[in-house]
Amino acid sequence: MNQDFPFLNDDFEEIRDLLQQFENLKSGQSHSFLDEDSFELIIDYYDEHDELPNAMQAAEIAIEQFPYSSVLLLKKANLLIESKKYQDAMDLLEKAAILDSTDINLYILQTDVYLAMNQHQKAAALLEEQISVFDGDDKTELLLELADVYDDCEEFDKVFECLKMTLEHAPNNEEALHKICFWTEFTGRNEESIRLHTGIINEHPYNQLAWFNLGTAFQGLKLYEKAIDAYQYAIVIDEKFDYAYRNMGDAYIRLRKFADAIDVLKKHLEIAKPEDVIYEAIGHCYDRQKKYTQARYYYRKASHLSPNNDKLYYKIGAAYMTEYNWENAIKSILSAIKINKNNAEYLMALGNCYMELDRNKEGLIHLLAAVRLRPSSVNTWLEFIGGLYRSGFYDEALSQLEAATRKIGQKPVFLFCRAAISIATGHYKEGLLQLENALQDSPKQLKKMLAIDPTLLHHPGVLELVNQYKPVRKRNK
């Protein structure tokens, strides 16, 4: 028995008595009179407890006793739909319509039959016809049902239109407000959403969902400042509106206001269940602020909630790399690779860490593995060739440069690499000529050559060429 909610005990006693009376009726024993409402309760009980045969038997007996009850006919029709006897259900619904055409459940069930029979257009036409007949909450329910029908037949713009009509009819309907937020983003109809929700807010200024939806529409148009203003109104109305804090945090990140983003995302953590994406976003913000210890702390908290997310371990490793903490970087990147062995970016980072520790052989092995994973990537070839160059394997670097050119064609940065190798191997004039050709072709790629070997600028001839092709900055008038 339920001690906390004694009224539930009364309900249990009532349904238990009704079920006993129904059993007595079936077996021909004496029983109390079961009225129409009692049969409804019995049918619902069996249906809710997945006792479909008993529910069907109760419905049939009930209809024998109350043949003009449209409600009982609808109950049986629903059971027939559950049994996938769609034509029998439709026949019964047509009988119910003769008795009472004002019951909205009649049209909901007919819609279910049409959808089950893959007749979406008939379902939509039925609902469109009835929407003009009903008003109030019934009209709202039919509009929401029609939106679901359009969703089923993948007419997504009509889903949006239907939800828009729902909110024009019932501006505070939470289901429609929740759904239109998704469909605005899905269909890209942000301008219409802004007009719709601005109208709702003008009439209902304390509707926090309308403010939130207005914010998401502004965010969809990359109007982040306006989005933040809307979210702030939403949380003034409901200070525990976690999704408003979440979206506001994203908007602040887009604006590169990382301190503000951290504040609102931490507020999200105070009022909602911790999520890895929130911890990761806070970590990202600290990362961008160059506060790497805090960044790693939040990346780790994210990884505790999502231990198979290799990107988190890589981000921890990358944060160590920015501080030249190569040993710890290696540990974290190896954790990422353990989860995802086929990520060239991880292999390149690991290779570079080993190179920084003068463990060149291990570094080159991982850089070569990255090339094998992404043989069409200029960057992977460049990292591998750069590793060979820094290790003093100039002939092999030149050989791999030729292999890269055969694989993906001549790239401007390869001209710089060839010049660097020529200069490093004592072919000074040839190297300068190659460098000049490279600077003429693509001067912006010079920085990639200098990343491989900054000491090249110590050569007077190199410095002279670089200065000669340095782009002239435009002066402000």
Side-chain angles (χ1 to χ4, degrees), residues 280 299 303 306-318 332 335-337 339-340 343 345-346:
E280 184 179 356
Y299 288 147
S303 70
S306 183
N308 293 319
N309 186 339
D310 50 286
K311 291 180 182 178
L312 293 170
Y313 297 102
Y314 174 71
K315 288 182 177 183
I316 294 169
S332 295
S335 295
I337 291 173
I339 299 168
N340 182 358
N343 188 300
E345 185 179 8
Y346 300 171

